[in-house]
Amino acid sequence: MKVNSTDKGLEVILETSSKSVDAQRLVDRHRLQVTPKTEGNSYIADIPNAQLRLSIGNSFRQSKPAPGITEVTVTNVDANTLQVTVTGEAFAPAVQLFDSNEGLVFGVTSNATTGQQATPPLQKPSSDENQAPIELEVIAPPDTGYNVSNATTGTRTNTPRRDIPQSIQVIPRAVIEDQAADSSGEVLRDAGLQRGGLPSRNTDNIVIIRGFSINNNNFLRNGLRDNIFTGGGTTNLANIERIEVLRGPASVLYGEGTPSGAINFITKQPLQQPYYAAQFKVGSYSFYEPSFDLSGPLTTDGKVSYRLNAAYRNSNSFVDFLHEERFLVAPVISWQPAKDTRIVFDADYQQVQGISSNEIGLPTRGTEESGC
């Protein structure tokens, strides 16, 4: 920031820089855009996609920098907008914009001597066509992937949620990974759903929506009813991309079921770029689960691609003598013969072995058994 006196008034110089910022920040470049306006005896210019950086403080202010000018302020309106304000004594000053090697320059001329209200100025184009455009650093937070704007539940098409008349919540993959969730019951709590099962039982499929418990017919996979995939709490999240929750009796769109709603598990689809990931989770009660995720094109033109997810889980329970093993292999092949045509071959194999209990469980001491 610089304020220099001139014969006609003063110059307000915004020095720009093209230095890179920390690697954890998202940086973009845009041509400078200035939106000027006049309010009373003040000239105000908003500069979007810009941020003021000073060694001390977050705003610049100078009083009476030149005759007829009472104050010059430069401040950050928000994280992405910079505002320059020049206030005259009786009338708004006349301002011209031009570029220089130092940055963006506001040429300010006081209108106190003319006694006329200034009209909003226009940005003066540069006379040198070969001059490099002024660039400002644009800083934005990284995309967390928590906000999913589209959903397929209710329409079976990739539709923006604002255009779907039903109430639909989406739990994306980013939430599942950040929570390190082991079951769908843990993830569905993010949608405000209440589980109806007992903590000692393996009941991911007992969920209450709007006061009604759902049954296996209310569970979907990629928009198709598949109670074998989700029933009995056997849902494996290794190949799940997101979970869409449809609330209310609109669940009858998918056939027989309770009027509570529907839960749609969307599986991972093949990627056009090679992707390889491996994960290993450990926890209490001898819990461990290795898994891997592979994807990429199978042909040079990218029309055929694949994805393969596999996971193995071994765990005990806080209840003695309860043990469980789960195994999942989920291959997907995608073929796109035309621009608007895509054929997907999706399969999964899940195996659940172990000893579980459907009883509430009683302490070994102090319990008496009686018969009728």
Side-chain angles (χ1 to χ4, degrees):
M1 267 301 309
K2 288 183 180 180
V3 177
N4 299 331
S5 298
T6 63
D7 297 336
K8 297 182 179 181
L10 56 89
E11 289 183 346
V12 179
I13 303 175
L14 298 181
E15 297 181 348
T16 59
S17 173
S18 60
K19 297 180 180 179
S20 61
V21 297
D22 186 21
Q24 296 181 353
R25 297 180 179 178
L26 184 63
V27 179
D28 195 4
R29 303 271 182 193
H30 294 280
R31 180 180 290 273
L32 189 63
Q33 300 290 335
V34 179
T35 305
K37 62 181 178 179
T38 301
E39 292 184 359
N41 60 338
S42 297
Y43 167 87
I44 302 174
D46 292 331
I47 307 175
N49 300 323
Q51 189 178 50
L52 179 64
R53 289 185 174 181
L54 299 175
S55 58
I56 300 177
N58 295 323
S59 61
F60 172 87
R61 177 173 298 177
Q62 184 170 346
S63 301
K64 298 182 179 180
I69 306 298
T70 60
E71 189 179 55
V72 175
T73 61
V74 182
T75 183
N76 292 319
V77 178
D78 51 41
N80 297 316
T81 305
L82 180 67
Q83 187 177 84
V84 178
T85 304
V86 182
T87 304
E89 289 183 353
F91 303 97
V95 180
Q96 288 185 330
L97 304 181
F98 54 94
D99 298 337
S100 72
N101 294 331
E102 294 181 280
L104 177 63
V105 180
F106 292 79
V108 182
T109 304
S110 173
N111 288 304
T113 57
T114 62
Q116 297 179 354
Q117 181 73 18
T119 58
L122 299 177
Q123 184 172 351
K124 180 180 179 181
S126 175
S127 58
D128 187 1
E129 296 181 356
N130 297 325
Q131 184 178 0
I134 295 296
E135 294 181 345
L136 294 180
E137 293 177 343
V138 180
I139 303 172
D143 184 10
T144 59
Y146 280 12
N147 183 22
V148 179
S149 58
N150 290 9
T152 59
T153 304
T155 62
R156 293 188 178 179
T157 60
N158 192 23
T159 306
R161 284 192 291 165
R162 67 173 183 271
D163 298 334
I164 302 177
Q166 289 83 19
S167 175
I168 298 176
Q169 289 180 272
V170 180
I171 305 175
R173 183 67 194 180
V175 174
I176 298 175
E177 293 180 351
D178 290 348
Q179 288 186 346
D182 298 327
S183 64
S184 61
E186 297 181 16
V187 180
L188 291 176
R189 291 181 300 182
D190 297 320
L193 304 186
Q194 178 185 355
R195 294 182 61 185
L198 298 169
S200 62
R201 296 174 60 184
N202 191 12
T203 52
D204 284 357
N205 62 328
I206 301 180
V207 181
I208 297 176
I209 303 178
R210 292 187 175 180
F212 294 92
S213 61
I214 66 177
N215 57 32
N216 287 346
N217 293 332
N218 295 84
F219 284 92
L220 312 171
R221 184 182 66 164
N222 296 329
L224 300 175
R225 194 169 69 184
D226 191 351
N227 53 17
I228 297 177
F229 175 75
T230 54
T234 59
T235 306
N236 196 311
L237 300 177
N239 68 324
I240 301 300
E241 181 64 30
R242 66 183 185 273
I243 302 176
E244 299 179 355
V245 179
L246 171 64
R247 296 174 180 269
S251 60
V252 299
L253 293 169
Y254 298 94
E256 180 183 1
T258 63
S260 55
I263 299 177
N264 190 10
F265 292 83
I266 308 299
T267 59
K268 296 179 180 179
Q269 296 300 308
L271 304 175
Q272 293 298 321
Q273 300 296 330
Y275 175 79
Y276 312 100
Q279 189 179 58
F280 186 81
K281 297 194 296 185
V282 295
S284 56
Y285 304 109
S286 302
F287 175 90
Y288 61 90
E289 181 181 31
S291 62
F292 64 84
D293 184 1
L294 309 177
S295 184
L298 291 176
T299 58
T300 56
D301 57 5
K303 291 185 178 181
V304 181
S305 55
Y306 80 98
R307 190 150 193 174
L308 176 63
N309 284 270
Y312 170 77
R313 177 186 299 182
N314 188 301
S315 65
N316 293 328
S317 171
F318 65 92
V319 179
D320 291 340
F321 310 114
L322 295 187
H323 176 74
E324 182 184 63
E325 284 185 305
R326 296 188 184 187
F327 182 74
L328 165 71
V329 176
V332 184
I333 300 294
S334 175
W335 175 39
Q336 189 168 3
K339 179 180 179 181
D340 299 327
T341 303
R342 187 166 68 99
I343 302 174
V344 178
F345 302 91
D346 189 348
D348 69 84
Y349 172 79
Q350 298 191 49
Q351 184 179 17
V352 180
Q353 295 180 343
I355 301 175
S356 61
S357 174
N358 289 329
E359 302 298 333
I360 297 177
L362 298 174
T364 57
R365 296 183 180 181
T367 299
E368 295 183 0
E369 183 177 354
S370 62
C372 296

